[in-house]
């Protein structure tokens, strides 16, 4: 059993999917949008299997795990306060704080323009993805499709760009989104909610940007991935069955993600292992 | 008069014995190397190309200390793609932890030569006490620079998981050997 839990396909696919699905089914009794909390819980299952409960030294990857838990709490708070004034501002501030904390050790060694060149895009990227997903939360299928395509694209780009750890975390997020997506597809009365959009947007942004700062993810791959939420939200006829719309919205997002992955793949001198 | 001169010389020797000489590590002749098993097939060798540090050395008084700072980004295994991976969060995480350090806490001597150096090795912000076994040590005037130069070879074995580097264990070995070749030039 212990050996089984160390396998990447269990850690980053089967376990998060099943945990997200189970949490979604349990929380379904509480109505919308709580089942979608399964996405961040599924991600935390992946994080636990990969990292355990060790948080020292507090590396960037471990900060991502801490932020995931915090983002889940922020998402819950945002959903229990639907009339929260200036909601986008609060979410933007949380996203910015998370992005800066992630790369703080790197920022602390830089000054002036150099500091801005690393810090500003981090804030912009994480904030953009979080707010993009949150603005579209009432259209649950495109929002979940966007999260899924973002996570898968971020995972593939990370693995190709020299960080299996970040890739595994992103794929774990994707599998967890897949788990709750199954519920949404077959459950008509649902909205995405901040319990989904905040952790998923922040995690996709942080893992992607961590890949840029800590590994070799090229900035233009992130620029392409930033378009994923827009592509996944291209309107489709409402008359189409939910399962078809889910498939097409996901496909639209995945096509853009695939462009990012393809660019990274194409620019690699050698795609073989070592 | 002769007695006075002798006592001055003896006094000078005693004073010099009480103070260790200070040396600066020569980065062009100091390379921390490592070797690690790959998938049970072979041994991969690598080294760090950029190192700096100081040595205090007093063989007569059997005292010494070593401080070495290694630039983690300078890791080199002869294959760029693997080196990029070694710099990533999967292994050395150099963006967040750009330095590996070794600070001695005790140096043991066998006669007038060091036999082992115990100290704190810090990787990824995690410090562990390790003991380097000194396999050779020598001090002499450098034939080209004419400066007094000391050097030593030393090695130790560590488990990388002790420092939080857990990726791909056991495929890529947990046990790794560190082999230091150090050359240092006397200050002043």
């Amino acid at each position: 059993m212990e050996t089984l839990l160390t396998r990447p396909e269990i850690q980053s696919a089967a376990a998060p999917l099943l945990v997200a699905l189970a949490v979604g089914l349990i929380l379904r009794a509480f109505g919308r949008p709580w089942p979608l909390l399964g996405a961040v819980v599924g991600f935390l299952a992946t994080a636990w299997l990969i990292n355990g409960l060790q948080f020292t030294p507090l590396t960037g990857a471990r900060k991502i795990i801490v932020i995931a838990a915090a983002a889940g709490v922020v998402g819950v708070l945002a959903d229990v306060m639907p009339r929260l004034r200036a909601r986008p501002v609060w979410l933007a501030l949380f996203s910015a704080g998370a992005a800066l904390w992630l790369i703080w050790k790197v920022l602390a060694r830089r000054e002036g323009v150099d500091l801005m060149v690393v810090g500003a895009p981090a804030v912009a990227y994480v904030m953009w993805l979080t707010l993009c997903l949150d603005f579209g939360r009432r259209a649950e299928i495109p929002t979940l499709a966007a999260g899924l395509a973002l996570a898968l694209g971020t995972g593939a780009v990370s693995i190709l760009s020299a960080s299996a750890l970040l890739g595994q975390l992103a794929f774990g997020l994707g599998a967890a989104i897949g788990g709750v997506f199954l519920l949404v597809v077959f459950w008509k009365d649902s909205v995405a909610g901040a319990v989904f959009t905040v952790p998923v947007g922040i995690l996709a942004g942080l893992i992607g940007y961590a890949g840029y700062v800590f590994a070799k993810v090229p900035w233009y791959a992130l620029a392409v991935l930033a378009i994923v939420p827009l592509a996944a939200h291209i309107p489709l006829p409402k008359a189409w069955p939910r399962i078809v719309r889910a498939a097409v919205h996901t496909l639209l997002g995945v096509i853009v993600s695939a462009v990012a992955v393809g660019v990274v793949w194409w620019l690699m001198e050698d795609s073989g292992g070592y | 008069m002769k007695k006075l001169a002798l006592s001055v010389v003896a006094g000078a020797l005693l004073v010099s014995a009480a103070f260790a000489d200070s040396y600066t590590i020569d980065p062009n002749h100091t390379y921390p190397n490592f070797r690690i098993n790959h998938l049970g097939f072979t041994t991969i060798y690598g080294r760090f190309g950029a190192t700096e540090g100081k040595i205090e050395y007093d063989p007569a008084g059997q005292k010494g200390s070593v401080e070495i700072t290694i630039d983690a980004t300078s890791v080199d295994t002869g294959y760029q793609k693997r080196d990029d991976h070694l710099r990533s969060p999967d292994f050395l995480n150099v963006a967040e932890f750009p330095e590996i350090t070794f600070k001695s806490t005790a140096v043991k001597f066998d006669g007038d030569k060091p036999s082992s150096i115990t100290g704190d090795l810090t990787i990824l912000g995690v410090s562990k006490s390790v003991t380097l076994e000194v396999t050779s040590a020598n001090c002499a005037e450098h034939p080209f620079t004419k400066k007094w130069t000391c050097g030593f070879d030393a090695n130790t074995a560590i488990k990388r998981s002790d420092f939080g580097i857990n990726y791909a264990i056991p495929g890529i070995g947990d046990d790794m050997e560190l082999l230091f070749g150090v050359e240092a030039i006397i200050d002043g």
Side-chain angles (χ1 to χ4, degrees):
Chain A
M1 184 64 176
E2 200 174 323
T3 310
L4 192 69
L5 294 177
T6 61
R7 295 173 64 162
E9 62 271 32
I10 301 295
Q11 294 176 332
S12 299
L17 189 140
L18 292 174
V19 168
L21 194 57
V23 170
L25 285 169
I26 292 166
L27 294 180
R28 207 172 160 183
F30 296 92
R32 62 186 194 181
W34 307 115
L36 298 195
L37 200 54
V40 69
V41 178
F43 171 82
L44 289 172
T46 289
W48 175 67
L49 289 173
I50 293 173
N51 181 69
L53 294 174
Q54 192 181 345
F55 288 96
T56 52
L58 193 55
T59 61
R62 287 171 176 152
K63 284 181 183 176
I64 288 172
I65 297 167
V66 173
I67 292 167
V73 173
V74 169
V76 170
L77 290 174
D79 280 337
V80 296
M81 295 186 287
R83 295 179 195 280
L84 177 69
R85 292 176 72 180
R87 172 189 169 113
V89 175
W90 290 113
L91 295 186
L93 285 174
F94 180 66
S95 306
L100 292 175
W101 187 50
L102 172 72
I103 57 169
W104 191 253
K105 279 183 186 158
V106 176
L107 294 177
R109 293 195 301 272
R110 295 173 185 246
E111 290 177 350
V113 176
D114 207 19
L115 181 86
M116 292 300 291
V117 164
V118 177
V123 170
Y125 186 66
V126 179
M127 206 185 275
W128 165 259
L129 292 184
T130 307
L131 293 180
C132 262
L133 289 187
D134 198 59
F135 279 132
R137 66 187 182 279
R138 293 191 193 286
E140 75 281 8
I141 289 179
T143 300
L144 267 81
L148 180 57
L150 261 177
L152 296 180
T154 302
V157 160
S158 297
I159 284 180
L160 287 175
S161 306
S163 179
L165 172 62
L166 296 174
Q168 263 200 275
L169 288 174
F171 280 133
L173 178 65
I177 294 169
V180 293
F181 209 171
L182 288 173
L183 286 177
V184 167
V185 168
F186 297 106
W187 183 30
K188 289 181 181 171
D189 186 24
S190 60
V191 293
V195 289
F196 177 85
T197 60
V198 175
V200 169
I202 284 180
L203 285 173
L206 291 180
I207 296 170
Y209 205 80
Y212 167 65
V213 174
F214 304 144
K216 300 283 282 185
V217 171
W219 65 266
Y220 41 83
L222 298 185
V224 175
L225 286 172
I227 304 168
V228 167
L230 305 179
H233 272 275
I234 290 174
L236 296 175
K238 294 260 182 187
W240 288 10
R242 286 174 72 83
I243 193 164
V244 174
R245 281 194 288 135
V248 176
H249 280 301
T250 304
L251 184 64
L252 290 168
V254 165
I255 287 171
V256 177
S257 282
V259 171
V261 176
V263 168
V264 174
W265 182 275
W266 181 61
L267 289 171
M268 285 170 60
E269 290 175 8
D270 172 9
S271 60
Y274 53 84
Chain B
M1 190 63 189
K2 207 172 185 179
K3 276 186 177 177
L4 180 66
L6 277 174
S7 58
V8 168
V9 170
L13 284 171
L14 280 172
V15 168
S16 69
F19 295 98
D21 286 323
S22 181
Y23 296 77
T24 297
I25 281 175
D26 174 4
N28 298 324
H29 295 93
T30 298
Y31 294 103
N33 300 274
F34 61 89
R35 61 184 180 201
I36 192 164
N37 184 271
H38 180 247
L39 302 176
F41 294 127
T42 189
T43 303
I44 297 292
Y45 294 79
R47 74 174 189 182
F48 295 91
T51 307
E52 60 182 41
K54 300 291 283 186
I55 292 176
E56 300 288 327
Y57 190 44
D58 172 20
Q62 296 197 332
K63 289 176 185 169
S65 67
V66 181
E67 281 192 26
I68 298 178
T69 301
I70 302 162
D71 179 357
T73 62
S74 69
V75 66
D76 180 5
T77 62
Y79 182 35
Q80 181 69 44
K81 192 176 171 191
R82 178 170 49 227
D83 296 342
D84 287 341
H85 195 191
L86 289 175
R87 293 184 190 106
S88 81
D90 292 349
F91 290 99
L92 294 172
N93 197 0
V94 301
E96 293 190 275
F97 301 96
E99 290 181 349
I100 296 169
T101 60
F102 176 81
K103 286 186 183 176
S104 68
T105 51
V107 179
K108 277 189 182 171
F109 279 77
D110 182 7
D112 63 347
K113 295 203 170 179
S115 57
S116 69
I117 305 168
T118 300
D120 295 325
L121 178 66
T122 304
I123 305 174
L124 287 184
V126 178
S127 294
K128 297 280 177 189
S129 181
V130 300
T131 297
L132 304 176
E133 299 299 330
V134 179
T135 55
S136 76
N138 188 38
C139 291
E141 186 184 81
H142 195 286
F144 306 135
T145 64
K146 304 300 178 194
K147 288 188 172 178
W148 193 252
T149 302
C150 287
F152 66 86
D153 294 322
N155 58 61
T156 190
I158 62 167
K159 283 190 182 296
R160 63 187 175 100
S161 59
D162 287 345
F163 297 88
I165 308 172
N166 298 316
Y167 177 76
I169 293 172
I172 301 167
D174 187 11
D175 295 308
M176 60 187 294
E177 273 187 85
L178 304 179
L179 306 99
F180 290 81
V182 178
E183 206 167 292
I185 302 162
I186 197 163
D187 290 341

